[in-house]
Amino acid sequence: MTLPPGQRAVDGFPRFGKHLHHPPPPAPADPVIEIGGALTEALTLSATDLAELPRREIRADFHCVAGWSATGLLWEGAPFRTLYRTRVEPLLEPGAPISHVVFEGLDGYRSIALLEDALADDVLIADHLDGRPLDSDHGAPLRLVSPGQYGFVSTKHLCRVEFHTTEPPDPDRWSPIASHRRARVWHEERHRRLPGRAVRPVYRALIGPIRALSARGSRVRPR
Ligand SMILES: Nc1nc2c(c(=O)[nH]1)N[C@H]1C(S)=C(S)[C@@H](COP(=O)(O)O)O[C@H]1N2
Ligand SMILES: [Mo]
């Protein structure tokens, strides 16, 4: 089994993230995804709209920028690219080429991706993991999954997607651990300005504490 540079396999799939000690946000009874940004009209996708999209299964490893990888996960959901081509492209403002996409979660988390990365073949809006509906630790009811990019791009509890024609403001841009705008795992694009290899030990030191805090907020009792 080959992992991208600087990654190590972990057993299972830990809950991990920024909203460490908080419990995951409750899943709404009727989940929707709002679509906005440089479009001629805003759009709200209901569960029915999403169910009309083709379904796809992706078997992939999941790589956190801190250095752990969960291997062989089976995701199911709608290809993001199909959503974009069928529902978003027809609403684009003429002459406004989309360059960036913002993904927002119900917990207030945000990630930014280049449109070209979000349109990769294996990017899904997932509702199932390993044959079961997503649980709240892993992003219920819907999450983005972009296996070719570090995990921070894959926003959990996805509730809003925005399309932009320029790079949207990023409050973390000057943070000492500002994330790389492309975040491609095989290029080791971890940090915005520093080489991925150089930041490995710093990021790796964060795994233990973040994992412990994330498990504390987990709805599933850690054993
Ligand atoms: N809504 C939301 N999405 C998120 C995060 C978060 O804190 N909130 N953390 C990100 C990070 S850094 C990682 S590594 C993955 C972890 O996904 P998991 O908790 O399913 O393992 O979710 C990403 N998506
Ligand atoms: Mo992460």
Side-chain angles (χ1 to χ4, degrees), residues 40-167:
T40 49
E41 57 183 285
L43 180 70
T44 302
L45 293 178
S46 65
T48 323
D49 295 323
L50 289 165
E52 279 168 6
L53 294 168
R55 289 189 67 77
R56 178 114 195 250
E57 281 187 7
I58 301 274
R59 169 112 24 215
D61 300 341
F62 187 93
H63 310 288
C64 172
V65 72
W68 59 265
S69 297
T71 55
L73 305 178
L74 180 66
W75 300 100
E76 260 173 77
F80 180 77
R81 184 160 64 191
T82 312
L83 171 85
Y84 182 76
R85 298 271 184 246
T86 60
R87 304 303 308 268
V88 179
E89 250 177 0
L91 301 177
L92 292 184
E93 287 170 0
I98 301 301
S99 56
H100 294 76
V101 192
V102 176
F103 299 95
E104 244 180 72
L106 291 165
D107 56 356
Y109 183 90
R110 270 168 111 243
S111 65
I112 305 176
L114 296 194
L115 178 68
E116 68 176 288
D117 292 329
L119 293 183
D121 190 47
D122 55 359
V123 177
L124 293 187
I125 295 186
D127 53 17
H128 278 67
L129 168 61
D130 291 334
R132 285 181 297 274
L134 271 186
D135 68 26
S136 59
D137 278 352
H138 293 300
L142 299 163
R143 82 176 293 170
L144 187 77
V145 181
S146 178
Q149 295 179 283
Y150 289 115
F152 61 76
V153 176
S154 295
T155 292
K156 302 193 280 187
H157 322 291
L158 185 67
C159 63
R160 185 171 169 82
V161 183
E162 264 175 31
F163 295 89
H164 293 266
T165 55
T166 54
E167 179 163 8

